[in-house]
Amino acid sequence: MQIVSQLLFLAALAAAIYFFSRRAAGIRRSIMLGRDIDLSDQPARRWNNLLLLAFGQKKMFRNPLVAVLHFFVYAGFVIINLEILEIMIDGLAGTHRIFAPYLGSLYNVLIGCFEILAVLVAVSCAIFLVRRNILKLKRFISRDLDGWPRSDANYILITEIVLMLLFLTMNTADGVLQTRGAAHYPVTGSFWVTGAFQPLFEGMSDSTLTAIERGAWWLHILGILGFLNYLTWSKHLHIILAFPNAYFARLDSKGKMENMPAIQQEVLYAMQPEMAPTEPTGTEVPKFGAKDVADLTWKNLLDAYACTECGRCSAACPATQTGKALSPRLIMMKTRDRSEALSRGEQDKTLLRDYITEEELRACTSCNACVMECPVSINPLDIILQMRRHLVMEESSAPQEWTLMFSNIENNMAPWKSSPDERDAWIHA
């Protein structure tokens, strides 16, 4: 019977790894649809961003209470999953609590810490559910989240609570079986949290307790393997991608646009014709801005997949808050959706207009509030600027006010219609 259990566990583990790897490869292909960009400079600053923003969640602590609750969930996800290593070894080898004999009394301390974290994770997730569904904070009831995005967040929180309860149930039944000297249940001592609940299970038979412990064990590990694959389709993919996204964040000034050297060279030749080459250089002039995701950089697409859909960007956006069509959160969600569609071979649509409208792009004030607020270094403004560059420079599509300003800058070297010689005329008016 034990060998059957081991084979079933091996099959479940292999299936989970296979489907996760396949989906991860698909996400990588979607991200690499973007054009190349070199973000390997200043490694010391990049590691600093990784440690402070991804591991340390620095920006989250602008709201201390929410930050602490989020940290409990984050720490629980990382630390409790160390216990999964033991479960996997036990499942493959047919053992039970294989680390206990080697760690001695330290084992009980570790499991006790895991149990405390499990309680904190469950409580934090319950509070987050209340904030989303009862208190209904404004950024969580926005139309951006209608449909699947709103349900996705609830599914994740409920799943995490269930997984923690299964872990605690498994330990409670295990603890009672230890006190009875049941076979295959090594004595590790009473666990810190579940030890207090053992009296609830005392009246049960050994066979019932074993069924509860084994059932919780299987549901816990299968739930985690399923959760691992669900993450790749969920907004909670940021649990994984927040780390590379923080590392590869752009380090130059906020809002600085990417220059186009080939265009700068053409302008220089127009101003100084004698410097222009007499023979064709064969250099292809690059596209102006971005019309589809393939025109964006791979970092823009990584941003889209790393988006937590938390809405802090939209809550800080003056355009969003004054009722304009723009929502930075939705910009990232639409970019991710388009990347997925293009990866599946959908060629008859583009990011511009089919997913993101001109009205959304023109509503942006370029204030960088969304960039400053994002806890995982996502830059919606960069996508907006690239798409506006395409509209203006490739399609000559701009509001009349913009066109007038462009003309004045070209002719008068200033946004105003007055010539440079007449700028001081207001003094004598």
Side-chain angles (χ1 to χ4, degrees):
M1 187 63 184
Q2 183 60 47
I3 189 64
V4 174
S5 176
Q6 290 173 251
L7 290 175
L8 288 174
F9 183 84
L10 177 61
L13 181 62
I17 293 174
Y18 169 75
F19 287 113
F20 178 82
S21 301
R22 184 174 178 178
R23 174 60 180 160
I27 291 172
R28 184 182 184 279
R29 283 195 300 271
S30 295
I31 292 173
M32 297 314 293
L33 289 172
R35 57 187 175 83
D36 193 25
I37 183 173
D38 184 9
L39 295 174
S40 60
D41 60 320
Q42 305 183 61
R45 287 186 64 188
R46 296 189 179 281
W47 281 110
N48 186 63
N49 281 345
L50 177 67
L51 293 173
L52 290 179
L53 299 178
F55 280 104
Q57 303 180 63
K58 178 181 177 181
K59 288 188 177 181
M60 292 292 293
F61 280 87
R62 293 175 182 174
N63 185 333
L65 177 59
V66 174
V68 169
L69 293 173
H70 192 275
F71 182 79
F72 287 154
V73 176
Y74 163 74
F77 178 83
V78 174
I79 297 174
I80 292 176
N81 282 340
L82 296 176
E83 183 253 353
I84 302 304
L85 176 62
E86 181 183 53
I87 290 181
M88 288 186 174
I89 294 175
D90 284 341
L92 293 171
T95 55
H96 185 69
R97 297 195 181 276
I98 192 171
F99 293 158
Y102 302 99
L103 298 178
S105 59
L106 178 60
Y107 183 83
N108 185 273
V109 174
L110 288 174
I111 298 299
C113 292
F114 293 161
E115 288 189 345
I116 291 174
L117 278 173
V119 172
L120 293 173
V121 169
V123 171
S124 298
C125 289
I127 293 174
F128 287 144
L129 280 171
V130 169
R131 294 175 77 237
R132 283 181 174 272
N133 301 287
I134 297 178
L135 299 181
K136 294 185 177 180
L137 300 186
K138 186 176 180 180
R139 62 188 172 96
F140 293 140
I141 61 173
S142 167
R143 287 180 298 176
D144 297 358
L145 298 180
D146 285 350
W148 166 251
R150 182 171 289 108
S151 300
D152 176 36
N154 288 327
Y155 294 156
I156 286 288
L157 293 170
I158 292 170
T159 299
E160 290 185 7
I161 291 173
V162 170
L163 289 175
M164 295 304 102
L165 292 178
L166 286 170
F167 171 67
L168 295 171
T169 300
M170 174 185 75
N171 281 359
T172 304
D174 191 295
V176 176
L177 288 167
Q178 289 182 38
T179 62
R180 296 181 182 180
H184 309 300
Y185 289 89
V187 177
T188 61
S190 178
F191 298 132
W192 294 356
V193 174
T194 56
F197 295 94
Q198 288 182 16
L200 298 176
F201 287 18
E202 287 292 352
M204 300 179 184
S205 65
D206 286 2
S207 59
T208 301
L209 286 170
T210 302
I212 292 174
E213 189 276 333
R214 286 291 85 191
W217 187 93
W218 273 103
L219 289 173
H220 181 64
I221 187 59
L222 291 178
I224 286 174
L225 294 178
F227 184 79
L228 176 68
N229 280 275
Y230 180 79
L231 280 182
T232 62
W233 298 95
S234 163
K235 81 185 192 75
H236 283 70
L237 185 60
H238 76 268
I239 293 173
I240 300 172
L241 294 185
F243 299 96
N245 205 61
Y247 181 85
F248 290 114
R250 291 181 62 172
L251 302 179
D252 48 16
S253 301
K254 298 287 188 296
K256 181 180 178 180
M257 292 188 69
E258 180 185 359
N259 288 327
M260 302 180 71
I263 304 304
Q264 289 178 302
Q265 196 71 24
E266 290 297 321
V267 173
L268 177 63
Y269 293 157
M271 297 176 66
Q272 297 177 292
E274 68 277 7
M275 297 185 62
T278 55
E279 299 293 333
T281 61
T283 302
E284 182 180 354
V285 177
K287 293 181 180 179
F288 294 102
K291 182 179 182 180
D292 208 352
V293 292
D295 302 323
L296 298 171
T297 69
W298 62 260
K299 177 56 171 65
N300 295 138
L301 303 186
L302 177 61
D303 277 352
Y305 278 94
C307 179
T308 71
E309 298 177 16
C310 66
R312 288 177 174 82
C313 54
S314 294
C317 175
T320 306
Q321 296 309 306
T322 52
K324 305 297 191 299
L326 174 65
S327 168
R329 169 169 59 186
L330 203 52
I331 293 290
M332 304 316 299
M333 294 166 66
K334 289 177 177 179
T335 301
R336 181 179 62 221
D337 290 345
R338 174 57 189 155
S339 181
E340 286 279 309
L342 185 59
S343 186
R344 293 193 301 268
E346 185 183 272
Q347 300 287 344
D348 58 337
K349 294 183 178 181
T350 59
L351 182 63
L352 179 61
R353 297 191 179 89
D354 290 310
Y355 286 80
I356 299 173
T357 65
E358 292 183 47
E359 183 182 1
E360 292 174 83
L361 297 174
R362 289 171 180 161
C364 177
T365 67
S366 307
C367 68
N368 268 293
C370 57
V371 182
M372 296 299 293
E373 288 299 316
C374 181
V376 292
S377 301
I378 290 170
N379 192 335
L381 178 59
D382 191 39
I383 294 175
I384 293 171
L385 292 178
Q386 291 185 66
M387 295 183 73
R388 288 204 305 214
R389 173 180 273 177
H390 171 87
L391 283 172
V392 173
M393 301 185 72
E394 288 276 359
E395 301 185 10
S396 299
S397 175
Q400 183 179 358
E401 296 84 357
W402 292 15
T403 303
L404 180 61
M405 179 188 68
F406 296 150
S407 178
N408 287 333
I409 291 174
E410 181 178 0
N411 297 318
N412 303 325
M413 294 172 284
W416 306 282
K417 62 180 180 180
S418 302
S419 68
D421 295 335
E422 299 174 347
R423 286 181 194 163
D424 60 352
W426 62 273
I427 298 176
H428 308 290

